[in-house]
Amino acid sequence: DAGVIQSPRHEVTEMGQEVTLRCKPISGHDYLFWYRQTMMRGLELLIYFNNNVPIDDSGMPEDRFSAKMPNASFSTLKIQPSEPRDSAVYFCASSISGSTVNQPQHFGDGTRLSIL
Amino acid sequence: KNQVEQSPQSLIILEGKNCTLQCNYTVSPFSNLRWYKQDTGRGPVSLTIMTFSENTKSNGRYTATLDADTKQSSLHITASQLSDSASYICVVRIKAAGNKLTFGGGTRVLVKP
């Protein structure tokens, strides 16, 4: 089975440029999460969707960050304009609601973003 | 202050030996506690998920324990292998917080031959 697929795996760009990260969740999963991981702060939840609808975006750092989920099989995280402090590994994860709350989140392998 | 604290931050063990990682949490009430393994350059992978009523759960050579009274969990790795070299992350899901998870800072384990 294909897991969560993220692209690109690596992105290097200059400050001020627009960055778009992409995610394809596992088919049939109705939750999608975007995380950011840094050495200093560990894993932080940015936003999550349920059935393509944003549920909680309280972790989005500022207005420069936006996320969309136009359909059940695709989501994007956009940073515009990018800044050096946005450099981090961004993970997408998906899960299925099921009959209990004890469903694991399945993570992609992340996008390593470097803003110069 | 992080609501999920892990110790040690890192450790080195010899192949074949056992080790135990600790997790203390202050979040309450919680739905479940999870342990994830993260290999270098990869995303985290779920090892175990325990509800507050469960004391122990195993996944192969990994055994997690939970004491909801003292708010402590541990992850025991038996007969370590080189492939166990990774970061291990303790994660707590808070009740009434939807699907939001609170992550510990992780313990980096290095298994040497």
Side-chain angles (χ1 to χ4, degrees), chain A residues 31 37 56 101-103 109, chain B residues 32 34 38 42 93 99:
Chain A
Y31 282 92
Q37 186 176 40
D56 188 333
V101 298
N102 300 324
Q103 299 296 326
D109 283 334
Chain B
N32 55 59
R34 308 162 181 225
Q38 185 175 19
R42 305 296 299 274
R93 178 177 172 157
N99 266 284

Side-chain angles (χ1 to χ4, degrees), chain A residues 23-71:
Chain A
C23 175
K24 177 179 169 56
I26 294 173
S27 177
H29 283 193
D30 52 350
Y31 282 92
L32 183 139
F33 307 82
W34 281 101
Y35 291 94
R36 179 171 65 178
Q37 186 176 40
T38 61
M39 289 292 291
M40 290 296 295
R41 300 172 69 92
L43 270 162
E44 301 174 286
L45 177 67
L46 300 176
I47 185 173
Y48 78 91
F49 296 82
N50 179 219
N51 291 321
N52 313 338
V53 177
I55 302 300
D56 188 333
D57 65 354
S58 59
M60 296 286 262
E62 47 198 273
D63 292 345
R64 298 184 297 106
F65 286 69
S66 63
K68 293 182 179 179
M69 192 165 185
N71 57 62

Side-chain angles (χ1 to χ4, degrees), chain A:
Chain A
D1 287 340
V4 175
I5 299 173
Q6 292 187 246
S7 66
R9 287 299 313 275
H10 303 274
E11 174 92 13
V12 180
T13 191
E14 291 187 345
M15 182 176 67
Q17 296 298 307
E18 178 179 288
V19 174
T20 300
L21 311 182
R22 297 172 176 80
C23 175
K24 177 179 169 56
I26 294 173
S27 177
H29 283 193
D30 52 350
Y31 282 92
L32 183 139
F33 307 82
W34 281 101
Y35 291 94
R36 179 171 65 178
Q37 186 176 40
T38 61
M39 289 292 291
M40 290 296 295
R41 300 172 69 92
L43 270 162
E44 301 174 286
L45 177 67
L46 300 176
I47 185 173
Y48 78 91
F49 296 82
N50 179 219
N51 291 321
N52 313 338
V53 177
I55 302 300
D56 188 333
D57 65 354
S58 59
M60 296 286 262
E62 47 198 273
D63 292 345
R64 298 184 297 106
F65 286 69
S66 63
K68 293 182 179 179
M69 192 165 185
N71 57 62
S73 59
F74 183 66
S75 177
T76 60
L77 178 68
K78 189 172 292 187
I79 309 172
Q80 167 62 21
S82 58
E83 296 182 3
R85 59 193 168 117
D86 301 330
S87 298
V89 182
Y90 290 81
F91 287 101
C92 175
S94 70
S95 71
I96 192 166
S97 51
S99 59
T100 74
V101 298
N102 300 324
Q103 299 296 326
Q105 291 184 13
H106 299 264
F107 285 76
D109 283 334
T111 294
R112 182 173 294 276
L113 178 64
S114 297
I115 308 297
L116 307 177

Side-chain angles (χ1 to χ4, degrees), chain A residues 9 37 43 89 91 107-110 112, chain B residues 36-47 61-62 77 81-89 107-111:
Chain A
R9 287 299 313 275
Q37 186 176 40
L43 270 162
V89 182
F91 287 101
F107 285 76
D109 283 334
R112 182 173 294 276
Chain B
Y36 279 84
K37 177 187 179 189
Q38 185 175 19
D39 292 316
T40 301
R42 305 296 299 274
V45 174
S46 179
L47 291 177
R61 295 179 296 101
Y62 301 102
I77 305 176
Q81 300 177 359
L82 297 180
S83 59
D84 293 329
S85 295
S87 287
Y88 293 84
I89 306 172
T107 293
R108 184 173 293 277
V109 174
L110 176 61
V111 181

